[in-house]
Amino acid sequence: MRKALLLFGNEIDRGNLIESAVYLQNSLKFKIYPLYIKDMSRDKIVAASTDGMMLGGRSPFIMQGWADIEKEEIESLEKELKDKGINAPLEVDIGLVNEIVTEKMKECDTLLIGKNEVITERIVGVLKGNYKSVILIGEKPLNSLEKVLIANDDGVKINRSCYQFTNLFTEVTKFDSFSINLELDDNILLEYLKDKDKIVNHRVLKTNNYDEILDGIAKYDLFIMGNLSRSYFFEKIIGKNGIKLLENAKTPIFIG
């Protein structure tokens, strides 16, 4: 049985994240493991300062107020999961998010996590530290795998993502693929997928209009990308193409 760790945090749309988990459970027979992490690093920041000012004796009251809000949030989340038919108990853990996710992923095949309006350090840490695949959910839920798109620069990272995807979702046999202003005489990834009996329609997009590209991606059910490099924040500053797509694509993203 395939297993997915469902991680809750500061996602932009919790409903879409849960709906995606329901699809994996009901349509693809995944076992879902819901997880909520009380982040220790956040608590240290709250205890130390607010807007650069020391909290002093007010710290316990602020911490208690946050604990009450978090308790209500967890109870609401448990009810929503149950109402949507996900009966596995919500596990609540405390610690550093990256470390806990790494440990929990030992028994799971993929990580289901929500995006925020920007790719936060928390998500970057999870993407870099996790050694299995990740499905990022933003403005659209995952509710089909009929139309799957590959961001294909024929690099090592997208090859790895496609390897992870085709082994996890064996039922998907047809893909669309694109590269941006990149003509290749021999695209090894296309040959690799063909050898695995996959049908791939590849196109080279002659454009730098990312709104147009994002509109095209939005027509798909899932978008496969390569993993982030170690130089994420440098790439963000210089406007690396992949970062633009990762942050702004509304379609669910698969990263292996």
Side-chain angles (χ1 to χ4, degrees):
M1 175 181 288
R2 292 173 288 186
K3 301 176 182 179
L5 182 67
L6 173 58
L7 179 63
F8 293 99
N10 57 344
E11 54 275 348
I12 193 172
D13 193 317
R14 179 164 290 169
N16 285 344
L17 184 58
I18 293 177
E19 185 177 336
S20 301
V22 170
Y23 168 72
L24 290 179
Q25 173 185 272
N26 295 350
S27 298
L28 301 179
K29 309 306 177 187
F30 271 71
K31 174 69 176 175
I32 305 296
Y33 293 91
L35 174 66
Y36 183 97
I37 300 175
K38 298 180 179 180
D39 192 348
M40 284 176 57
S41 61
R42 178 207 61 205
D43 291 343
K44 290 178 182 178
I45 293 172
V46 172
S49 64
T50 296
D51 294 332
M53 299 179 63
M54 297 304 293
L55 296 175
R58 293 176 293 167
S59 178
F61 298 102
I62 292 177
M63 295 298 292
Q64 181 58 49
W66 181 261
D68 291 340
I69 293 171
E70 197 163 47
K71 181 175 180 292
E72 291 180 7
E73 183 178 21
I74 290 169
E75 290 174 350
S76 173
L77 184 52
E78 288 174 329
K79 182 180 184 303
E80 189 170 358
L81 287 168
K82 187 175 181 180
D83 290 345
K84 295 293 184 179
I86 297 178
N87 295 318
L90 174 66
E91 182 177 356
V92 179
D93 207 336
I94 183 168
L96 298 176
V97 174
N98 297 354
E99 293 179 1
I100 293 173
V101 168
T102 298
E103 185 65 24
K104 299 296 182 184
M105 283 303 295
K106 288 180 179 179
E107 60 179 319
C108 294
D109 299 294
T110 192
L111 172 66
L112 192 61
I113 184 173
K115 267 198 325 182
N116 208 312
E117 293 178 351
V118 296
I119 301 300
T120 62
E121 288 189 49
R122 172 183 172 124
I123 291 179
V124 171
V126 169
L127 288 174
K128 288 182 176 179
N130 182 44
Y131 51 95
K132 294 184 180 175
S133 63
V134 178
I135 303 174
L136 279 165
I137 305 297
E139 295 181 49
K140 286 175 57 178
L142 177 65
N143 50 30
S144 173
L145 288 175
E146 288 294 321
K147 298 179 65 179
V148 177
L149 179 66
I150 301 170
N152 181 1
D153 63 358
D154 201 33
V156 172
K157 292 172 184 176
I158 187 58
N159 193 293
R160 178 187 172 188
S161 288
C162 287
Y163 169 81
Q164 295 264 26
F165 182 86
T166 54
N167 280 279
L168 184 58
F169 296 100
T170 56
E171 56 269 81
V172 180
T173 59
K174 295 181 180 181
F175 300 84
D176 283 345
S177 164
F178 77 94
S179 59
I180 302 173
N181 299 318
L182 181 64
E183 292 276 6
L184 295 172
D185 293 333
D186 296 307
N187 193 306
I188 297 173
L189 178 58
L190 296 180
E191 291 301 317
Y192 170 78
L193 291 170
K194 181 180 176 181
D195 289 343
K196 293 178 75 74
D197 298 322
K198 307 300 182 184
I199 301 170
V200 186
N201 175 36
H202 180 71
R203 294 183 299 151
V204 177
L205 304 181
K206 303 283 190 179
T207 181
N208 287 313
N209 185 334
Y210 278 84
D211 288 335
E212 179 183 329
I213 295 170
L214 287 166
D215 287 343
I217 293 171
K219 298 175 183 178
Y220 285 83
D221 301 316
L222 187 71
F223 180 42
I224 302 177
M225 290 185 63
N227 204 347
L228 291 172
S229 73
R230 292 289 172 181
S231 58
Y232 168 80
F233 290 106
F234 175 71
E235 289 180 355
K236 184 173 175 62
I237 290 171
I238 65 173
K240 187 84 171 189
N241 297 343
I243 301 302
K244 294 179 182 178
L245 300 181
L246 180 63
E247 288 193 328
N248 298 313
K250 297 178 180 180
T251 296
I253 296 172
F254 179 95
I255 299 175

